Structure formats: C-alpha cells, structure tokens
Amino acid sequence: MEMQVTIKTKLKISNSEIAWSFSKTMEQYRQACNYVSEYIFNHDFDMKQSRLNKELYTKLRNLFSLKSQMAQSVIRTVIARYKTVKTQMARRPYKYQDQNTGEWYREVRDLTWLHKPISFNRPQVDLQRNRDWSYLSSGQLSINTLDGRVKVDPICRGFNQYLDGTWKFGLAKLLKSSGKWYLHISATKEVADFNKQTVKHVVGLDRGLRFLATSYDEQGKTAFFDGQAIMRKRAKYQKLRATLQAKGTKSAKRRLKKLSGRENRWISDVNHCLSKTLVQKYGANTLFVLENLNGVSFERTDLPKALRNQNKSWAFYQLEQFLTYKAHLHNSEVVEVSAKYTSQRCPKCGVIKKDNRNHEKHEYHCDNCGYRSNDDRIGAMNIQLLGTQYISGQEQPKFELTTNA
C-alpha cells in the first residue's frame, strides 16, 4: 500500500531577484488557472485532460508565457480543484424544509450548482518533480521559474528522514505566506497492507464538540478527549472576527486575513495532536472505526446563544485524514461505518429509541434494559461493535431500526 504525506519546508531566499522571479511565476500561473477554470465552467465542466490540453495548451503558453510543463500543470491543477469541490458538494447536501408539511429534505449537489467559475485568488504554482524542481546533492533545492532555474536552501526540521531511500518525492507547491516562502512537497512511501488477521485493537471513535473524540476499545475501556476549551477559544475567534467585520476598514480586513490563517493553523495543530495521541495510545495493528459524518449537523441548541454558530462543526474530515496517514505509518487502518442509530441504540440489549438519549444531561438511559451511560460513550461503543463486524467479514456493517431486544 502506498501512503502519502506533505512535507512543508521553508525556503531561504538569498536575494530579491529570486523573490521577484517566484512572484512573477506564481502570478502568471494563477491567472492561467483562472483562464482554464472559466473555460471548464463554460463547457459543461468537461475535465478530460486530453481534450483540455488540445484546446488550451498553446493558448496558455502564448497568453501567460508559461513553460511547457507549467502549462500542463495548470490544467491538472484546475481539474483537481474542480474534483475537490465536486466531492465537497456531494458530502454536504442542500437541506430545505417543505413549507406545507414541515418535512426536511436533502438534495445531493453537483458542479451544476456553481453560479460562477472557481476562482484562484492566491498566487501559487505546482511544480513537477525533476522537470520543475529537484533536490540537489548539495542539500539545496533547484526550482524552475519563468526566468530560469534558481537554487535555494530548505529549512525543515526532520527533512533528512525522507532521504533514507524509502520515500519518493512528487509534486511540489510553491507559495508565500506572511512574507515567507514555502515549498510543500508531496512524498510517498510503500507500507505493508493492513491485515485484518493481525488486528490487536478495534477502537470506536465518536466525534463531536463537547468531546472532540470519545474512544471505546475491545477491552471495554473508554477515553474522553475534551473539547470544552476548544469551544471557548473558537468563541473568542468568532467574537474578534465579528468586531473586525463590523469595522470594515482596510486595517481590519488585513487583521481578519491574519486571524483566519492563525485559526486554521491552530485547528490543524489540534487535529495533529489528537490524531497522534490516538495512534500512540493504541499502537500498531489497530483498526480505528469512525462514523460517516456526511450530512450530519452538530448544531447545539443547549449552548449559550453566543457559542452556537461557531460550534456547529469542526474540521472532522481533516482529523480523519491526519489519523489515517499516521495510522498507516504504524500498520493500522481507519474505516468509516454508517452513523445511523449509533447514538440511539442501546449497546447492551440492541433496542433503538431516540428518546432514550437526554441531550441536556448528555446521558443515554435505555427504558428496555435499564442500561445507563454517557451519550458520547454510547456512540463509541456502537461504532466499535460495527468495527468488530467489519473485522468479521461484513464490508458495510450498519444498524437496522428495531424496537425489540
């Protein structure tokens, strides 16, 4: 099995000419991406690489002075962005309420819901390994620009671990953030395929806001990862953002941009730390079982009004991505199971009843067998059971609605 990571390395720029070449190359690349994006939007979202190359390759080279490989990369970049947006839209269906019956409905969205082409606002450029960038024996990076190749020094703690011969470098992304230059390098490595027969732990993970994660394993042990402090910090970000938006000045907008970057970095750090803790806690040969959260809302009416809006969601998909790649490094795996009834089912007698869960007390109390426990723990227990069924051979385990034991 092949796993992929992104190495984020800072670049040490020796003179202003290199910085100017980087800036010019990224800006031309950005404009070319917008050109291709508009073409795709106006041609029924045709994303066939060969047809786009035939139609746009020469135009990209002439209009934006791009080199051959960069013109090809522009098309790939735009196609990848549209495919990402397509996936995101499918994961978040449109929800609406029938004004006559009061019933709620969901409609799966696709690219035809877009009312304008996807816009590329941030200057950056994708660089192909060897053609546009390479790692030199001197330890420097050679990067191609519209003005020719330049050499820069990478600043990245732990970079040498990717030079042991087991990692293969691929696409790199050149970008600028807060006045500093970075190169994000994709690296892949072959790791052993996950083997169900060697599983030591099956861990159910219930994700939420009050607890970012609640884990339950095959030994009946539960761990809670508190999210209260995170909710309070997000509330502070929301309050500061609202204040700056109300001002509307240029300086306020600059601060908003910095604030957004700071909050995103903080969220990423929280997810990195949580995923790392989970992998280290359970070790190798662990199956982490997550519920599929597509279309699931985390709106909390039990919270104070000031805390509701900013706590409707968390970057759970990012957490899943981080957990997956860290698990693969330890010969472990992450699987998704259906979220249906995982918070309504009694893990002892199997009865499914929505009213058994008390959201205000965060408690589940089964009126059939009397079992009582924390509601997040109940979810983790049911998810863990689905994981056990997966190990036993059921490819898509799920619970069916029943009212009897």
Side-chain angles (χ1 to χ4, degrees):
M1 177 177 62
E2 186 178 79
M3 69 160 296
Q4 179 176 314
V5 299
T6 300
I7 309 166
K8 299 179 181 180
T9 176
K10 185 179 176 181
L11 302 179
K12 185 178 180 180
I13 307 299
S14 59
N15 57 67
S16 59
E17 285 78 10
I18 293 178
W20 167 247
S21 293
F22 282 171
S23 296
K24 182 172 68 173
T25 302
M26 291 196 307
E27 178 58 23
Q28 290 297 98
Y29 194 92
R30 183 190 71 83
Q31 292 183 22
C33 285
N34 283 325
Y35 181 83
V36 175
S37 178
E38 185 173 354
Y39 180 89
I40 291 177
F41 181 83
N42 293 328
H43 290 78
D44 299 323
F45 303 102
D46 180 11
M47 290 183 280
K48 184 70 174 178
Q49 176 88 28
S50 58
R51 283 197 292 266
L52 293 175
N53 277 342
K54 182 178 180 180
E55 185 66 30
L56 300 175
Y57 173 77
T58 302
K59 296 177 182 178
L60 291 174
R61 296 207 64 185
N62 293 336
L63 292 174
F64 305 101
S65 303
L66 296 180
K67 297 187 175 182
S68 175
Q69 185 59 59
M70 288 186 182
Q72 300 275 356
S73 295
V74 163
I75 297 173
R76 278 193 287 266
T77 297
V78 179
I79 291 175
R81 179 72 66 85
Y82 269 93
K83 288 182 176 180
T84 298
V85 171
K86 182 179 179 180
T87 300
Q88 291 173 341
M89 295 178 75
R91 291 175 67 92
R92 297 180 180 179
Y94 173 71
K95 291 182 282 188
Y96 63 94
Q97 186 179 29
D98 189 306
Q99 298 300 320
N100 297 321
T101 64
E103 293 290 329
W104 283 91
Y105 297 92
R106 292 180 181 177
E107 186 173 345
V108 178
R109 300 185 299 165
D110 57 23
L111 291 176
T112 59
W113 285 61
L114 294 177
H115 64 277
K116 64 179 181 179
I118 294 175
S119 179
F120 291 78
N121 299 318
R122 185 181 186 183
Q124 58 187 31
V125 57
D126 288 344
L127 304 169
Q128 294 293 327
R129 166 74 166 158
N130 293 328
R131 294 293 299 273
D132 293 320
W133 81 275
S134 57
Y135 181 78
L136 305 178
S137 58
S138 62
Q140 289 184 304
L141 295 174
S142 174
I143 299 176
N144 202 9
T145 71
L146 297 182
D147 298 321
R149 282 187 171 265
V150 297
K151 296 179 181 179
V152 294
D153 296 312
I155 304 174
C156 179
R157 185 177 61 182
F159 188 79
N160 288 337
Q161 66 179 300
Y162 299 103
L163 303 176
D164 60 2
T166 64
W167 291 91
K168 181 180 178 181
F169 294 138
L171 187 73
K173 187 181 294 291
L174 177 67
L175 51 89
K176 187 178 184 181
S177 178
S178 300
K180 300 176 182 178
W181 293 95
Y182 295 90
L183 191 68
H184 292 182
I185 304 171
S186 172
T188 57
K189 179 180 181 179
E190 287 293 331
V191 296
D193 289 336
F194 181 72
N195 186 353
K196 292 182 180 180
Q197 305 302 320
T198 62
V199 170
K200 295 180 179 178
H201 304 289
V202 179
V203 181
L205 291 175
D206 180 78
R207 294 170 289 176
L209 297 174
R210 182 166 170 263
F211 295 106
L212 279 185
T214 303
S215 67
Y216 182 85
D217 62 23
E218 75 289 343
Q219 299 177 4
K221 296 181 180 179
T222 307
F224 295 93
F225 299 88
D226 192 12
Q228 296 292 323
I230 290 170
M231 289 168 63
R232 289 192 292 269
K233 188 166 184 177
R234 291 198 77 186
K236 291 182 179 178
Y237 275 116
Q238 175 67 16
K239 184 177 180 180
L240 180 56
R241 187 160 46 244
T243 302
L244 293 173
Q245 287 172 340
K247 288 185 177 180
T249 61
K250 289 185 178 180
S251 60
K253 291 179 180 178
R254 285 195 297 269
R255 285 199 63 192
L256 271 171
K257 188 175 181 180
K258 290 183 178 180
L259 181 68
S260 176
R262 189 187 313 151
E263 184 177 13
N264 289 336
R265 289 191 296 272
W266 166 69
I267 291 174
S268 295
D269 183 64
V270 171
N271 282 333
H272 266 302
C273 292
L274 178 54
S275 57
K276 181 179 179 180
T277 299
L278 287 167
V279 170
Q280 291 180 341
K281 176 178 176 63
Y282 294 102
N285 299 307
T286 296
L287 177 69
F288 294 100
V289 191
L290 309 177
E291 74 275 50
N292 188 323
L293 295 179
N294 287 357
V296 176
S297 173
F298 285 87
E299 188 167 3
R300 293 275 301 277
T301 56
D302 60 315
L303 289 171
K305 188 175 181 180
L307 291 176
R308 287 180 191 171
N309 291 335
Q310 68 271 22
N311 288 289
K312 288 183 179 179
S313 64
W314 179 255
F316 290 119
Y317 180 64
Q318 183 192 67
L319 173 60
E320 181 178 337
Q321 288 181 308
F322 290 170
L323 180 61
T324 298
Y325 94 76
K326 293 179 193 297
H328 287 171
L329 286 174
H330 292 78
N331 198 32
S332 297
E333 187 57 273
V334 176
V335 296
E336 278 191 344
V337 296
S338 173
K340 282 188 175 181
Y341 309 120
T342 54
S343 62
Q344 302 175 23
R345 179 185 179 275
C346 176
K348 295 299 181 182
C349 70
V351 164
I352 296 174
K353 192 172 182 181
K354 188 175 183 180
D355 293 340
N356 284 345
R357 183 182 185 185
N358 189 320
H359 288 272
E360 292 184 1
K361 294 182 178 180
H362 304 291
E363 181 183 67
Y364 183 94
H365 184 200
C366 180
D367 61 2
N368 182 63
C369 69
Y371 185 72
R372 187 192 303 263
S373 186
N374 173 274
D375 56 356
D376 293 312
R377 180 173 180 267
I378 291 293
M381 292 173 72
N382 283 318
I383 294 167
Q384 196 273 341
L385 176 59
L386 291 176
T388 302
Q389 294 175 358
Y390 173 81
I391 289 294
S392 300
Q394 295 186 39
E395 288 300 320
Q396 296 180 332
K398 62 181 180 179
F399 295 121
E400 299 293 345
L401 182 61
T402 177
T403 55
N404 299 315

